[in-house]
Amino acid sequence: DEIDLRAYLSVIMRRKKVLILTLLAVLILVVLYTFNMKPIYEASATLHVQDDRMKKGTMLGELSIAASNPIGAELEILKSRTNAEWVVRHLHLDWLVTKKTDGLNFKILDFSSTAGEEPPVYQIELTGPDTFTVRDKEDNLVGEGKSGQLLQKYNFRLLLSDLKGKKGDSFRLTLFPFDVAVNMLRGGIKAVEVGRMTSIIRASYMNTDPVLARDVVNALVQAYLEQSVSLKAEEASRTVEFVEKQLEELRKNLDASE
């Protein structure tokens, strides 16, 4: 059978309203999804890994008993659990604030809970310009606090500062298990070598909060550098100890030869 293009065009023209409405519906859905979707921000830092132990003409470089770390090892150190734990503690990433009233501002200086439920969830509501109440998940009153003063009740501690809001403003505060926060952070950290054999590492982290993304990368780099300095200092100490032992044996051999 021959294909009649005119027949196809005739069908399309008869149903053009349906096609146009369908295309408009899809376009509207795409636009709404795009506007409602939270933007994701990426923060990154670039590190140049330089192994001073490989410098020629230095005693430590010649006598170092540890092999030079390849770039792959440095990548693993950067993404290590030790560094992730330090970042979580430093930035309190196990503290989750949700359902915060618009215009409410505060800083959390201290928060801990040993409540039985997992994870502990609390509702904080302002009762005045600088006062608030804390209720647990069952709406039981945990305590009443004031900005700048530590609220401590049984298994609960909370210290808020710079509290600015009006009566009735509230937010929800959750304490995530530490291991969960660490694993979530490690899952979002990316570290790769830029190019091939460049010894340049690019570390990055993505989040809907650009400030948090930046702080995570900065804290991760800080933890890596501190760990790197500590490891190099430890290695230098071992190398010096090795040299001293060799010199002592050399003295003994010289004394014995005399």
Side-chain angles (χ1 to χ4, degrees):
D1 296 336
E2 295 183 359
I3 299 175
D4 190 348
L5 295 179
R6 292 182 179 179
Y8 279 111
L9 290 175
S10 176
V11 172
I12 293 173
M13 292 303 295
R14 287 200 304 269
R15 300 182 179 179
K16 64 179 181 180
K17 290 184 178 180
V18 176
L19 291 175
I20 293 173
L21 290 176
T22 302
L23 290 175
L24 285 176
V26 172
L27 179 62
I28 291 172
L29 288 175
V30 170
V31 171
L32 289 176
Y33 176 78
T34 303
F35 277 99
N36 291 328
M37 183 178 62
K38 288 185 177 181
I40 298 177
Y41 302 90
E42 181 183 45
S44 63
T46 304
L47 300 169
H48 181 210
V49 179
Q50 183 175 1
D51 195 346
D52 294 334
R53 294 169 300 180
M54 296 304 293
K55 290 181 179 179
K56 296 181 179 180
T58 64
M59 180 176 292
L60 292 181
E62 302 245 349
L63 296 176
S64 178
I65 59 177
S68 175
N69 282 339
I71 193 68
E74 295 298 327
L75 289 171
E76 292 303 318
I77 292 173
L78 179 62
K79 297 185 295 182
S80 67
R81 183 176 180 85
T82 300
N83 287 342
E85 288 180 353
W86 189 91
V87 173
V88 170
R89 290 192 182 96
H90 182 69
L91 298 179
H92 306 297
L93 298 182
D94 50 342
W95 300 352
L96 178 64
V97 175
T98 56
K99 297 186 177 181
K100 184 173 72 74
T101 303
D102 293 337
L104 175 61
N105 296 301
F106 55 87
K107 291 181 180 178
I108 304 176
L109 302 182
D110 189 9
F111 172 48
S112 64
S113 174
T114 56
E117 69 265 19
E118 199 63 47
V121 180
Y122 298 95
Q123 184 73 18
I124 290 84
E125 182 175 342
L126 269 64
T127 56
D130 60 350
T131 58
F132 58 90
T133 59
V134 179
R135 295 183 177 275
D136 61 18
K137 191 160 52 177
E138 286 74 30
D139 202 33
N140 298 317
L141 181 64
V142 175
E144 298 178 352
K146 187 175 183 179
S147 179
Q149 297 181 6
L150 177 65
L151 171 60
Q152 186 168 359
K153 296 286 185 178
Y154 307 110
N155 56 6
F156 178 85
R157 285 169 58 93
L158 179 63
L159 176 58
L160 300 180
S161 70
D162 300 334
L163 186 61
K164 295 179 181 179
K166 60 182 182 297
K167 183 178 180 180
D169 288 351
S170 64
F171 65 94
R172 181 172 293 178
L173 183 58
T174 305
L175 181 62
F176 266 109
F178 185 76
D179 288 341
V180 173
V182 171
N183 291 334
M184 290 176 61
L185 175 64
R186 294 188 71 190
I189 293 174
K190 294 182 180 178
V192 296
E193 183 180 11
V194 179
R196 180 176 175 81
M197 305 297 291
T198 61
S199 295
I200 296 177
I201 294 176
R202 181 179 184 271
S204 62
Y205 183 77
M206 292 189 297
N207 197 275
T208 55
D209 184 351
V211 176
L212 179 59
R214 178 203 64 192
D215 291 345
V216 166
V217 171
N218 289 340
L220 181 65
V221 170
Q222 181 182 350
Y224 167 76
L225 293 177
E226 290 181 359
Q227 186 181 32
S228 179
V229 169
S230 177
L231 290 174
K232 288 184 178 180
E234 181 181 351
E235 181 181 356
S237 177
R238 291 199 306 267
T239 304
V240 170
E241 183 180 352
F242 172 77
V243 172
E244 290 177 346
K245 287 182 179 180
Q246 294 298 312
L247 290 175
E248 184 63 26
E249 290 182 4
L250 181 59
R251 291 193 192 96
K252 290 180 180 179
N253 292 335
L254 289 174
D255 292 340
S257 65
E258 293 178 355

